Every structure is written in structure tokens, then in C-alpha cells.
Amino acid sequence: MQRIIIIGYMGAGKTTVGKALAKAMGLTFYDLDWYIESRMRKTVKEIFDESGEEGFRRIEHNMLHEVAEFEDVVVSCGGGTPCFFDNMEYMNRQGDTLYLKASPDVLFGHLRMGKSVRPLLLGKTPEQVKDFIGKQLKQREPFYSQARHTLDVSLMDSYDKIQQSVQKAMRLLAPQGSPDHNITHTSNTDRK
């Protein structure tokens, strides 16, 4: 049984890497936001509009506890998921956590190219978005850094680079002592 939970800021590529990783490892992929939308029959934006961030975070917490019980899965979480309730501790108990790390500039570039609606960024100018990303990333970093593994995803601007990131993720997640385990990987457990 395998459970991989991917975290990181919005725009880091959690869904992109998660889908590719699940496919490469023969696991089922779940995007937590998509799971919430299918269970609640509303978009994340609609939930935010109706219940505010606090209401959304309660729903997200409950849905995380559902999906993180599934077996042989890769779950990508929303950018704020690790930062509320006991979510980060819970995810670390449930499986292998992987933090996709990128700089504020890289995240801004990814978000600008993205097509999805981000409720926390609505109505902001590009300059305000950059400032918001920098400040919020600084606040969230203490939660993200609790993940068992960290993967730098600053250079994922092509299909080949995405595949390279997936290969690096697979080496990070391989059990220690296995032929696939990369001794020079960045594992947060090594730093504690």
C-alpha cells in the first residue's frame, strides 16, 4: 500500500507532477480540490463565495481525511491545505509527503500562464499578486518544510523537464536501501 501526498504553493505544479507520478507508479491520482468539487457539487470558488475561507478550510479538512485513507494513491493538495488544523501532521502520518518548492517569481509565472480561477488572487493587479505570493509563501513555508521530502520544481517549463521532475520524485520516494533511492536526494527527515 502506498500513499503519496503532494503539497506546495498554488502554481507549483502539484496536479501536473501528481498525475504524471501516479501514472508512472501505477497509482490512482486525486486532486483534493477536484475531489471537494465532485463531493460538494460546487466549485472551490463557489464554496469560498458562500462560506468564506474558514468554511472552505473546514470542508477541505474533512475531505482530506477521506481521500488520505485511500490506498495506492497520489493526492495533490491545495496550497493552503497543510497550513490549517492538524493537516500537516495528519498527512505525514498517512503517507509520504512531498513538497514541490519554487521561488515566488517562478510561481508567479506559472500562475500567470494557468487557466484556473484562484479565489485568493481575484481582483489583484500583477504587482499585487507578486507581493501576495511572496508574503504568503513566507507564512506557509514553516508548514511546507515539514514534508518528508522536498523537490525543487523551478524548472518545469517543458514536457521533458516535467518528466525529469517526476523521475527525481520517484527517487526521493523510493525506500531507503532500494536501487532507486538516490543518496544525494533532499529529504527533510535528514535535516531533523
Side-chain angles (χ1 to χ4, degrees):
M1 191 233 11
Q2 206 166 10
R3 238 180 243 132
I4 299 164
I5 303 171
I6 301 176
I7 64 168
Y9 199 75
M10 59 181 143
K14 299 180 298 291
T15 300
T16 302
V17 170
K19 278 183 182 174
L21 185 61
K23 184 176 180 184
M25 296 179 77
L27 303 173
T28 303
F29 174 73
Y30 288 93
D31 178 289
L32 184 58
D33 283 347
W34 297 350
Y35 185 77
I36 291 167
E37 290 180 345
S38 72
R39 291 274 282 112
M40 301 303 292
R41 291 188 167 88
K42 294 178 183 177
T43 66
V44 168
K45 182 185 179 316
E46 288 170 339
I47 298 168
F48 258 80
D49 290 347
E50 291 172 14
S51 306
E53 185 174 9
E54 188 178 324
F56 171 75
R57 296 301 177 190
R58 277 195 307 274
I59 292 167
E60 178 184 59
H61 173 76
N62 294 336
M63 296 297 110
L64 172 65
H65 279 252
E66 280 186 25
V67 78
E69 295 289 330
F70 299 163
E71 297 184 358
D72 297 320
V73 293
V74 174
V75 178
S76 78
C77 295
T81 308
C83 312
F84 294 88
F85 306 104
D86 65 342
N87 290 350
M88 195 63 232
E89 295 92 18
Y90 175 75
M91 289 187 278
N92 276 327
R93 284 193 310 269
Q94 290 301 105
D96 264 327
T97 48
L98 176 64
Y99 168 30
L100 301 189
K101 185 173 186 161
S103 72
D105 287 340
V106 168
L107 295 167
F108 176 74
H110 289 178
L111 289 167
R112 211 174 45 186
M113 291 185 303
K115 295 172 185 70
S116 60
V117 175
R118 310 285 182 160
L120 294 175
L121 301 180
L122 286 175
K124 290 179 173 63
T125 67
E127 293 76 28
Q128 289 171 324
V129 169
K130 272 187 184 179
D131 187 48
F132 181 83
I133 291 169
K135 285 179 182 171
Q136 198 172 53
L137 188 58
K138 195 172 187 176
Q139 293 169 343
R140 291 179 173 186
E141 186 66 32
F143 296 97
Y144 294 159
S145 65
Q146 293 174 45
R148 292 202 172 125
H149 310 283
T150 297
L151 179 65
D152 186 325
V153 291
S154 293
L155 294 171
M156 279 202 328
D157 55 2
S158 69
Y159 176 80
D160 287 340
K161 289 180 182 170
I162 291 167
Q163 293 308 310
Q164 288 170 15
S165 291
V166 168
Q167 291 303 314
K168 286 180 189 174
M170 288 174 66
R171 286 193 297 274
L172 281 172
L173 296 163
Q176 292 203 4
S178 74
D180 293 329
H181 188 77
N182 183 347
I183 296 177
T184 61
H185 75 281
T186 303
S187 176
N188 290 337
T189 54
D190 296 341
R191 291 186 242 153
K192 292 182 179 165

